[in-house]
Amino acid sequence: MAGKRTALIAGNWKMNGLVADAAALAGAVAAGAGSVNCELLVCPPAVLLTTVSDASKGSKLAVGGQDCHAAVSGAHTGDISAEMLSDGGAAYVIVGHSERRADHGEADTDICAKAEAAHRAGLVAIVCVGETEAQRDAGQAEAIVGGQLTGSLPAGASAENTVIAYEPVWAIGTGRTPTAQDVQAMHNHMRTHVRDSHGAAFSDGVRLLYGGSVKPENAEELMALADVDGALVGGASLKAADFLAIAGCCR
Ligand code: PGA
């Protein structure tokens, strides 16, 4: 990756963990956070935010949410605002994960509003994009991802308040990954796309994470790619040793 962008390795715990596991896992990751050459982030289920924030206090491990509502507060049963995440110790929030897009019918306009909410609350939004297998097979991957970027990135996105994660849907939790050449080609496409929409300061500085079956065995090759500035890690983020080993691949 380019030297001016500090790599970010983000763990998405999804719907996993109870208080005792979360404290132990976050504590183990926090203990290793000082010896890796990147920023480290974990995104636990919202109910575990304060547990994880407490376990990471005094370390370089940052904490984030997995989703937020666009509004500050109100009659939205079961939802959580960006302000609430911030109050619980979060500095980041993932928005537009493909599991949210698929399971909750979230469209680009929803995700754009959530990213704006994140910025309003002072959080960094990790905006996720990625094509399905059928879309890739049909040769539409770049067009799909470009369209998602156009629809999901708010006008006020900056390199400081936004991170973009490319997560091909077919690579999530499957053990399959695109080739290194395909990842680099997509990341280069994304950087060019956002230069056109948001300007050179954004495209030069924004961190582009790769996500989808990242593990210690493939992280070295992926993290060495010119336009890959870190990873969004699901399954392997649930084991401190694996997560730290992935982070150890950032030079
Ligand atoms: P995975 O998930 O690492 O388990 O493939 C990645 C993600 O969904 O963020």
Side-chain angles (χ1 to χ4, degrees), residues 24-90:
L25 177 55
V29 172
S35 26
V36 292
N37 192 22
C38 60
E39 289 175 21
L40 270 190
L41 164 70
V42 292
C43 300
V47 74
L48 296 174
L49 261 184
T50 49
T51 301
V52 171
S53 299
D54 288 347
S56 63
K57 271 216 175 75
S59 81
K60 287 163 109 181
L61 175 63
V63 184
Q66 298 178 8
D67 176 51
C68 67
H69 195 278
V72 178
S73 62
H76 303 290
T77 303
D79 279 316
I80 295 168
S81 70
E83 283 76 6
M84 291 169 178
L85 294 175
S86 170
D87 199 37

Side-chain angles (χ1 to χ4, degrees), residues 153-169:
L153 286 176
S158 70
E160 289 71 40
N161 68 18
T162 302
V163 170
I164 299 170
Y166 168 56
E167 298 206 302
V169 177

